[in-house]
Amino acid sequence: MEQRQPYDGLIGKSRPESRPTPRPRLKGNVILEGNAGYDEARKVWNGAIDKKPAMIAYCADAQDVVEAVTFARSSAFPVAVRSGGHNVAGLSVCDGGMVIDLSRMKRIDVDPVRRTARAEAGLDLGEFDRATQAHGLATTMGVNSDTGIAGLTLGGGFGKLGRKYGLTCDNLIAAEVVTAEGQILRASATEHPDLFWGLRGGGGNFGIVTAFEYQLHAIGTSLLVASALHPYDQARGAMQFYDEFARNAADEVNVDAALVTLPSGDRFFSIAGSYVGSQHDGELALSPIVKFGSPVETRLATVPYLEIQSGGDALFPRGRRYYWKAQFLRQISIGAIDALLDAYARAPNTSSLLVFQHVGGAIARVPIASSPYANRDAAFDCFPIAIWNDPADDDANMGWARELWSALRPYSTGGVYANNLGDEGEDRVRDAYGENYARLVALKDKYDPTNFFRLNQNIKPTA
């Protein structure tokens, strides 16, 4: 029989000083506040987050997660769940509670015949992509290779393949879930289908997913990409071109864009597209990107998919300070362009970005009621990203991002992507789920009526 670390259930109760601090019984290990390695263990991707949990429970398997949930519930501990720790608001760590950490659960089994993968929740998307690309397969998986697949999937999941194959959550076949009561359930279209519905975009509100099963797609190992860098004095016209081109693009085309600043201080508008399909068709589809205007730099080349997926990593290293506020657009109007260019000109440092993520395509053709993800009519997710190092610059950077977000607000749909929410309150959570919110509350009432899983973009139960 496997040996687990003993605990006596006394967390939060008076106990003699001589007794050891209780902890859950795990095959993995537990780090307590004050232990060696604690300060490193509590860090997450966003260096602006500085929270101090009472303990961090590194789980080795689903049964460890059950043990951790049972311990936390009996001890009245608040619980944060961490896989990749990439959430901008730092919801994967907490003050004074327990972090249930799944980052060491990294098994993945790929079936190249059925084109499926079963992946444990501790994988990041780089690890997932490497395993599936060994067979020329992939599914929609984010834009930074150290993003955890768990949070990405549970919130929806954007990526370069989304317009062709749908969101990450649209490609979810089944999930293994530990509930607030410590049960292990399999959720799929035929097993606990109501829970399965909620997991495909409803976040971490209904349990801890310990493993995901995905549908994969044959894409080969490289994609055609195109990019162009336009000077800031030509950005207005380039943004108009981008808006029209992106909204009318074929499903095989994903084209993101950003206002960027080089280390020299010079500002530009960058467009970067990719094509899922043959090189011949891709060249026809993407060539307008490199032919429009007078860009200072262009590229049209076939690039390994793994390189594309990790291409933005250098911009978003772990440990820097990050803040953003996001909203959806159906189009980028002239008014929106002028507001963005004016606000971006006041960016506080050269790391500041204004990002457009291209959605629509296959994403838009999934009925809204099919999953919690409700903002399927959007063409773009748009958000300023403030990036800096010195805590003394917090107010300037966060203030700039909020100012830019407010300037764009009149042109937005009012909706927001759950995975891009910060600590913005219940109303913005409702904006993420729209007409699906009431159904999510009913699901919360069934699977987590005490709101045990509340350190997330929280859907509150009615009780």
Side-chain angles (χ1 to χ4, degrees), residues 141-361:
M141 272 291 168
V143 295
N144 291 108
S145 66
D146 68 345
T147 301
I149 66 169
L152 177 77
T153 304
L154 294 173
F158 293 167
K160 303 296 185 184
L161 307 182
R163 285 176 45 80
K164 177 66 173 177
Y165 298 117
L167 301 166
T168 312
C169 70
D170 296 333
N171 289 279
L172 186 65
I173 299 170
E176 178 184 80
V177 189
V178 175
T179 70
E181 295 300 316
Q183 294 179 296
I184 300 178
L185 303 178
R186 177 180 163 85
S188 69
T190 58
E191 304 158 283
H192 305 286
D194 58 343
L195 177 59
F196 181 60
W197 179 86
L199 297 175
R200 293 183 300 125
N205 277 282
F206 310 110
I208 300 176
V209 177
T210 53
F212 300 84
E213 295 176 34
Y214 298 100
Q215 185 67 57
L216 305 177
H217 307 277
I219 68 161
T221 57
S222 61
L223 301 180
L224 188 71
V225 301
S227 62
L229 191 65
H230 295 271
Y232 205 68
D233 61 4
Q234 299 173 26
R236 193 173 190 264
M239 292 174 78
Q240 288 178 275
F241 160 78
Y242 170 71
D243 169 60
E244 183 175 358
F245 176 81
R247 286 191 293 108
N248 291 286
D251 290 0
E252 290 79 8
V253 174
N254 179 91
V255 55
D256 297 333
L259 290 169
V260 301
T261 306
L262 299 187
S264 64
D266 294 323
R267 294 182 171 90
F268 294 89
F269 182 63
S270 171
I271 302 174
S274 60
Y275 187 86
V276 184
S278 73
Q279 180 166 339
H280 175 266
D281 292 343
E283 288 176 353
L284 292 175
L286 297 180
S287 60
I289 293 174
V290 298
K291 291 179 179 178
F292 175 80
S294 303
V296 297
E297 180 181 295
T298 62
R299 183 190 193 195
L300 184 64
T302 299
V303 176
Y305 180 72
L306 293 177
E307 182 180 326
I308 295 169
Q309 286 291 87
S310 61
D313 289 2
L315 291 174
F316 306 106
R318 285 181 175 264
R320 297 197 74 184
R321 303 173 81 81
Y322 297 93
Y323 180 85
W324 62 66
K325 283 174 69 75
Q327 53 198 321
F328 283 118
L329 307 175
R330 293 189 184 92
Q331 67 178 81
I332 310 170
S333 67
I334 293 297
I337 290 171
D338 289 342
L340 291 173
L341 291 174
D342 176 67
Y344 187 74
R346 295 189 293 277
N349 59 58
T350 58
S351 298
S352 305
L353 304 169
L354 184 282
V355 171
F356 294 98
Q357 281 190 287
H358 191 199
V359 285

Side-chain angles (χ1 to χ4, degrees), residues 301-428:
T302 299
V303 176
Y305 180 72
L306 293 177
E307 182 180 326
I308 295 169
Q309 286 291 87
S310 61
D313 289 2
L315 291 174
F316 306 106
R318 285 181 175 264
R320 297 197 74 184
R321 303 173 81 81
Y322 297 93
Y323 180 85
W324 62 66
K325 283 174 69 75
Q327 53 198 321
F328 283 118
L329 307 175
R330 293 189 184 92
Q331 67 178 81
I332 310 170
S333 67
I334 293 297
I337 290 171
D338 289 342
L340 291 173
L341 291 174
D342 176 67
Y344 187 74
R346 295 189 293 277
N349 59 58
T350 58
S351 298
S352 305
L353 304 169
L354 184 282
V355 171
F356 294 98
Q357 281 190 287
H358 191 199
V359 285
I363 297 168
R365 290 193 293 277
V366 176
I368 290 175
S370 294
S371 74
Y373 183 91
N375 290 283
R376 293 186 179 271
D377 62 342
F380 309 98
D381 189 23
C382 181
F383 50 106
I385 303 179
I387 309 172
W388 70 104
N389 295 319
D390 190 341
D393 296 329
D394 285 2
D395 289 345
N397 282 273
M398 295 167 69
W400 168 76
R402 291 167 180 155
E403 175 195 349
L404 196 155
W405 181 88
S406 296
L408 190 63
R409 183 68 170 163
Y411 308 98
S412 79
T413 67
V416 62
Y417 175 38
N419 279 347
N420 275 339
L421 277 171
D423 186 12
E424 299 174 47
E426 183 178 353
D427 286 347
R428 286 299 277 165

